[in-house]
Amino acid sequence: MAPAQAAGKTTVTYTSEGGSTYGGKAIFWGGYDQEAFQVCDTKKDGMAAWAHWSWKGGSVTLEDANGSTAFCDNEPQHIARKQVPEGSTVDITVCRVKNSAKRDCTYSFGKA
């Protein structure tokens, strides 16, 4: 599993297939007035990146299927902002998806 950071800071979680680059990543920015969530499809491999963030009282799910580059494309449909209670633990799941089948999933957590 790829490392992640926590405690009211940015948490980046990568899919688990490995290789020189990962196919997807989920980013959580905690510790702000409104937390931010972003999913990034980082490979042109015919698969999408799917991410789900959940905490007591809420959740966000996003999918990115454009296979941009190793960097995020920052398109609005791949980003969400929500108010998460201060100090809440946010569970993070990121997977590669094709035809609704999830694979190479990784689980992590962040702090709001």
Side-chain angles (χ1 to χ4, degrees), residues 21-97:
T21 59
Y22 295 95
K25 63 183 170 182
I27 305 171
F28 170 71
W29 287 275
Y32 295 93
D33 186 37
Q34 276 201 331
E35 280 67 26
F37 309 82
Q38 184 171 15
V39 65
C40 308
D41 181 10
T42 57
K43 280 187 182 177
K44 292 182 181 185
D45 59 2
M47 299 189 77
W50 174 92
H52 180 78
W53 300 263
S54 63
W55 60 94
K56 185 176 181 177
S59 67
V60 171
T61 301
L62 297 170
E63 187 170 319
D64 177 358
N66 69 4
S68 57
T69 69
F71 303 100
C72 297
D73 59 21
N74 295 321
E75 292 183 16
Q77 68 270 26
H78 303 144
I79 302 170
R81 294 191 180 276
K82 298 279 185 176
Q83 182 62 49
V84 180
E86 182 79 21
S88 293
T89 297
V90 176
D91 294 317
I92 304 165
T93 303
V94 62
C95 306
R96 296 188 329 145
V97 178

